Every structure is written in C-alpha cells, then in structure tokens.
Amino acid sequence: MIECSRISKRYAIGDVTIEAVRDINLRVERSEFLAILGHSGSGKSTLLSMIGGLTCPSEGMISIDGNDIWSWTDNERAIFRNGTVGFIFQFASLIPTLTVLDNVILPTLFNGGMTRAIRDRASRILETVGLLDKIE
C-alpha cells in the first residue's frame, strides 16, 4: 500500500519559492491502479518522484507498506527502487545500442544478474504492453 500524508514540495530559486506539490493526501491499496492527470507543470512528475524515493518532500510523510521511505538511508531507498518500483521516464532513457528486451532487463542486472526467468518475465511484460514485436 502507498500512503501519502500531507506531502508538499517546494523549490527555492533565488528569492522565489516554487510550490510544485501542495498538501497531497493519497492512499493506494495493493492491486489498485491509479492515473494521475493534470496540466504540464502541475506537479505530477514531482509527486511520482517523491513516492518513488527520488525526491524528498519538503513536508509530509510517504509510507510504502507501512514504512516511511524518507526515514530510510539513501542505500535503503536505492534497494527499494531497484526491487519494488519501476520508472518510465517522460524523457527517453533507453540505451539506443541495446535491444528493447535488453533495455527492459538492464535494471535487474543491478540486483544479482540475469537469469532465464528474468528474460522470460521481461518478454511477458513487453507482450502485456504490446511491444513483443519490438523485442530484438
């Protein structure tokens, strides 16, 4: 379960403070799907970045399965991101010299190496999102 309690994010740029996210409360149960919609610049990416452990909120708490992720060390959050969270960045983050399948598999290499099971799972994921024809 993901729970956000009164999270906010502010950025100081010189004498100006930008409030990217303000006082968000959110609860997402296991197996529940959620779409976050909004205009460009409305804070969607900042919110997801905070939930994913990349950007620290200015205020509030983010809890994953009852654990406050911002009480963890940087290393603990890195392990969490590697094993629990998946990111699809809004800007191209694919490595052009790798196949689509290898780009999907790449993050797993930081968690103990590739196995046949990982390769099969990556193929199933590509099939699920309609990219199986781009696998090689």
Side-chain angles (χ1 to χ4, degrees):
M1 175 185 42
I2 300 169
E3 190 166 8
C4 300
S5 178
R6 303 201 65 172
I7 61 170
S8 295
K9 181 62 181 177
R10 289 180 296 283
Y11 295 98
I13 303 172
D15 293 338
V16 177
T17 299
I18 305 295
E19 196 167 30
V21 172
R22 181 181 349 145
D23 200 30
I24 297 291
N25 293 301
L26 174 70
R27 184 180 177 109
V28 183
E29 298 290 340
R30 187 172 295 281
S31 300
E32 200 170 28
F33 286 88
L34 172 73
I36 299 174
L37 305 172
H39 297 288
S40 178
S42 64
K44 302 176 304 289
S45 295
T46 301
L47 174 63
L48 292 173
S49 181
M50 289 188 292
I51 293 170
L54 290 172
T55 302
C56 184
S58 302
E59 293 175 1
M61 186 185 78
I62 299 170
S63 171
I64 308 290
D65 293 332
N67 299 297
D68 176 3
I69 66 169
W70 289 100
S71 69
W72 296 344
T73 65
D74 288 343
N75 192 50
E76 288 169 327
R77 275 192 308 281
I79 291 167
F80 159 73
R81 284 189 300 270
N82 184 265
T84 306
V85 180
F87 288 97
I88 301 173
F89 294 98
Q90 64 191 57
F91 301 105
S93 295
L94 300 176
I95 298 174
T97 57
L98 297 179
T99 66
V100 170
L101 180 63
D102 288 339
N103 269 283
V104 172
I105 290 171
L106 183 63
T108 67
L109 300 178
F110 300 106
N111 201 22
M114 193 186 56
T115 65
R116 182 68 197 170
I118 289 171
R119 189 174 184 81
D120 290 346
R121 182 167 186 247
S123 295
R124 286 192 308 276
I125 289 168
L126 288 170
E127 182 177 22
T128 299
V129 298
L131 292 175
L132 192 58
D133 62 320
K134 308 282 189 231
I135 201 163
E136 296 296 331

